[in-house]
Amino acid sequence: MSTVAPLSFRLTMEPLPASPPSSAPARAGAMVTFEGLVRDHNQGRPVVGLDYSAYLRLAQSEGERILQEAIARFTLVRADCVHRLGPLVVGDVAVKVWSFAEHRREAFAGCAYIIDQVKARVPIWKRETYLDGEQRWVACHDHEVSGC
Amino acid sequence: MRLRIDYYASLREQRGLDSEELETGPIDLRGLYATLAERHGFGLRETQVRPAVNHAFCAWDRGLADGDRVVFLPPVAGG
């Protein structure tokens, strides 16, 4: 079976779209969607907002690489990811993943792989603003208890 | 050799610049980061940053050449 499948990785300052960038391939029997949301707390501190920034060129190439890996590893028929940059408030959607596969097991697993790898590898940074006004750069390695 | 260093996130804040050009003698990535970290008081140790050269992740032992564009990436936090 070919491991070549369409994919898209996009960074945008705009609110994320409700629908995936492309209609489901006819071979797909399952589409799994993940939305990463800005929540109101981090490590016990109340968060009011955050700001995402990126090394754009490397984020783009690494994001595409992750989608290619997911397609190959989980025999996805399509994979898309959009990540928002700039200022966001609690409740905003920060990132979306759509994974398409013939069957749901691969679609779920592929979606999970994509978001896990995006969080671990893509050069995007988050600056959180807390209720008391303090701002702090967040690092994955901070999240030893809650995980990334 | 002439190198361009681009800064992001906390290192951009600590350096106070998006980018700079440096003229140096022979140097490797470890030496370059150590020099910059000491000179500008960076709060991240070498073990906390990841190097990229010419828009690709690389190993710390990758050699540097004239015209290279270097980024020391702070710990990422996307997604």
Side-chain angles (χ1 to χ4, degrees), chain B:
Chain B
M1 58 186 157
R2 179 163 285 251
L3 301 172
R4 178 163 164 179
I5 321 296
D6 296 321
Y7 295 102
Y8 291 93
S10 56
L11 290 183
R12 177 181 285 190
E13 206 169 73
Q14 290 169 27
R15 180 66 188 92
L17 292 172
D18 290 1
S19 188
E20 64 180 324
E21 290 217 332
L22 294 179
E23 192 71 52
T24 78
I27 197 165
D28 60 12
L29 283 165
R30 290 201 154 92
L32 179 60
Y33 186 73
T35 301
L36 294 170
E38 189 185 341
R39 189 179 293 168
H40 305 296
F42 290 161
L44 293 173
R45 297 182 300 278
E46 183 192 291
T47 52
Q48 295 175 290
V49 300
R50 192 173 174 191
V53 177
N54 300 337
H55 309 300
F57 291 116
C58 64
W60 277 103
D61 61 4
R62 182 200 191 280
L64 288 172
D66 185 53
D68 277 349
R69 191 160 176 178
V70 179
V71 180
F72 296 106
L73 293 102
V76 301

Side-chain angles (χ1 to χ4, degrees), chain A residues 52 54-58 61-62 83 95 115 118-127 137-141, chain B residues 6 8-13 44 48 50 52-57 69 71-79:
Chain A
Y52 282 113
Y55 177 176
L56 293 175
R57 186 163 160 176
L58 186 53
S61 63
E62 190 68 3
H83 199 300
V95 58
I115 186 59
V118 166
K119 288 174 76 71
R121 289 160 53 182
V122 175
I124 293 173
W125 294 277
K126 181 193 324 187
R127 195 153 203 274
W137 292 101
V138 175
C140 247
H141 67 66
Chain B
D6 296 321
Y8 291 93
S10 56
L11 290 183
R12 177 181 285 190
E13 206 169 73
L44 293 173
Q48 295 175 290
R50 192 173 174 191
V53 177
N54 300 337
H55 309 300
F57 291 116
R69 191 160 176 178
V71 180
F72 296 106
L73 293 102
V76 301

Side-chain angles (χ1 to χ4, degrees), chain A residues 32-126:
Chain A
V32 171
T33 304
F34 170 81
E35 295 193 357
L37 311 171
V38 178
R39 63 173 189 268
D40 65 359
H41 65 280
N42 190 18
Q43 295 187 295
R45 298 185 70 179
V47 172
V48 297
L50 51 79
D51 193 282
Y52 282 113
S53 55
Y55 177 176
L56 293 175
R57 186 163 160 176
L58 186 53
Q60 183 67 38
S61 63
E62 190 68 3
E64 289 174 0
R65 197 168 3 253
I66 289 167
L67 295 178
Q68 284 164 352
E69 291 168 8
I71 285 166
R73 188 182 273 203
F74 301 100
T75 57
L76 304 180
V77 300
R78 188 182 169 94
D80 302 283
C81 177
V82 189
H83 199 300
R84 197 157 162 200
L85 301 177
L88 278 73
V89 297
V90 170
D92 280 346
V93 181
V95 58
K96 288 185 77 162
V97 177
W98 296 269
S99 70
F100 299 85
E102 291 188 13
H103 302 288
R104 65 189 182 283
R105 177 166 297 134
E106 290 77 16
F108 276 117
C111 189
Y113 177 86
I114 290 165
I115 186 59
D116 286 349
Q117 295 300 310
V118 166
K119 288 174 76 71
R121 289 160 53 182
V122 175
I124 293 173
W125 294 277
K126 181 193 324 187

